[in-house]
Amino acid sequence: MNRVPSDETMIERLKLAGLRPTRQRIALAALLFGECDKHVTAEALHEEALRNAIPVSLATVYNTLHQFTEAGLLRAVAIEGSRTYFDTNTSNHNHFYLEADGTLLDMHAAPAVSVPEPPPGMAISRVDVLVRLVRK
Amino acid sequence: MNRVPSDETMIERLKLAGLRPTRQRIALAALLFGECDKHVTAEALHEEALRNAIPVSLATVYNTLHQFTEAGLLRAVAIEGSRTYFDTNTSNHNHFYLEADGTLLDMHAAPAVSVPEPPPGMAISRVDVLVRLVRK
DNA sequence: ATTTGTGCAAATCGTTTGCATCTGA
DNA sequence: TCAGATGCAAACGATTTGCACAAAT
């Protein structure tokens, strides 16, 4: 009885990332990388896990999200406010942010940004573009 | 015995913004709008106030920052992490962020950004560009 | 006099940590 | 076996809130 995607796929992925494929990590990876790109908060992923009968503690969800991020499987997205979003799409892209309901959307077409010279002695490490949306 | 800028200026400014010019608001406004553009956190402004012999509670600093922001005197800047920055420059501009020491710098030359069409039914409310810097 | 703001301390929110226990290699 | 992972509950930092008191109109 195989889920799609199979646990084997996830185990492979974890091993490649240098992470021990534990019960919880496999299950969370299956939720995260199962289908299309997702944006989750720790809280949201925790709830999703519980709904799917994966008993895991919130602390482990936090740990796992950070480990996945360090391993390059996830990308942390900076939005104002306290809560952190994690994006399964780790490629260099930007986001629409729906202020009304706190939803993140991937921006597929790359925005063209030309940035001024950084101050002397400094180098650009990354450019984040966040487009805030409101309902029309 | 007049400070520069004068309290009168600040009182005017507060009245125009529809805020009652109280002792604390006048003093905080003088710190914030005194000279050049500033970026502050609530904590930092609170400390600055205490150093300047303005006894004010942290709660009031938070309240005041939010009231000023609603009144359009300040602009909240979204950086990742938990703490909120407030910018005395309310014009439409963007920022350099020095990850190493958590410092914000105004970007004077406007970055040229051309953003893709927002999803149907949605309109752009604001585009935030944050350029993360590292020491070279 | 009435409305509005302030200060304190307690409450809240998202997140992290310490530590005993469990698990996978 | 034993390094590494997990779960719980307590600790945490930034922020907010409830409420009695004080100040501005």
Side-chain angles (χ1 to χ4, degrees):
Chain A
M1 160 229 174
N2 238 9
R3 252 173 285 163
V4 174
S6 71
D7 285 358
E8 276 62 36
T9 314
M10 293 304 144
I11 292 174
E12 261 328 293
R13 204 148 171 173
L14 291 171
K15 281 186 181 164
L16 280 175
L19 293 169
R20 207 190 263 186
T22 66
R23 221 179 278 308
Q24 292 85 334
R25 284 180 185 159
I26 297 166
L28 292 176
L31 288 181
L32 287 169
F33 308 120
E35 350 192 343
C36 48
D37 295 337
K38 295 181 88 163
H39 303 99
V40 297
T41 60
E43 195 81 34
L45 182 60
H46 185 226
E47 280 165 21
E48 191 181 348
L50 298 187
R51 273 200 306 279
N52 286 66
I54 302 161
V56 64
S57 75
L58 183 54
T60 296
V61 172
Y62 273 105
N63 289 337
T64 304
L65 286 172
H66 287 141
Q67 291 150 358
F68 283 13
T69 301
E70 271 167 48
L73 301 175
L74 291 176
R75 176 137 119 45
V77 182
I79 311 286
E80 93 190 311
S82 38
R83 81 178 25 164
T84 306
Y85 288 76
F86 295 86
D87 189 345
T88 57
N89 179 349
T90 56
S91 70
N92 189 51
H93 67 287
N94 293 285
H95 296 98
F96 289 116
Y97 181 57
L98 254 155
E99 318 219 51
D101 46 337
T103 309
L104 267 191
L105 268 50
D106 276 339
M107 193 182 293
H108 291 296
V113 189
S114 81
V115 169
E117 237 357 63
M122 297 289 152
I124 293 176
S125 88
R126 206 170 80 189
V127 179
D128 286 345
V129 179
L130 184 70
V131 177
R132 292 161 192 282
L133 299 179
V134 287
R135 227 170 287 282
K136 235 189 309 212
Chain B
M1 158 231 177
N2 237 11
R3 252 172 287 165
V4 174
S6 71
D7 285 358
E8 275 65 35
T9 314
M10 292 305 144
I11 292 175
E12 262 326 294
R13 204 148 170 173
L14 291 171
K15 281 187 181 164
L16 280 173
L19 293 169
R20 211 189 258 189
T22 67
R23 221 178 280 306
Q24 292 85 337
R25 283 180 187 159
I26 296 165
L28 292 176
L31 288 181
L32 287 169
F33 308 121
E35 352 191 341
C36 47
D37 294 338
K38 297 182 84 165
H39 305 100
V40 298
T41 61
E43 196 80 34
L45 182 59
H46 185 226
E47 280 164 20
E48 191 180 348
L50 298 187
R51 274 200 305 280
N52 286 66
I54 301 161
V56 63
S57 76
L58 184 55
T60 296
V61 172
Y62 273 106
N63 288 336
T64 303
L65 285 171
H66 287 140
Q67 290 150 357
F68 283 12
T69 301
E70 270 168 49
L73 300 176
L74 291 176
R75 175 136 122 44
V77 182
I79 312 287
E80 92 189 310
S82 39
R83 81 180 26 167
T84 306
Y85 288 78
F86 295 86
D87 189 344
T88 57
N89 180 350
T90 56
S91 71
N92 190 51
H93 68 287
N94 293 285
H95 296 99
F96 289 117
Y97 181 57
L98 256 156
E99 319 218 51
D101 47 337
T103 308
L104 267 191
L105 269 49
D106 275 338
M107 193 182 292
H108 292 296
V113 187
S114 82
V115 169
E117 241 349 69
M122 296 289 151
I124 293 175
S125 87
R126 203 169 86 188
V127 179
D128 287 343
V129 178
L130 184 70
V131 178
R132 294 162 191 282
L133 299 180
V134 287
R135 227 170 287 282
K136 231 186 311 205

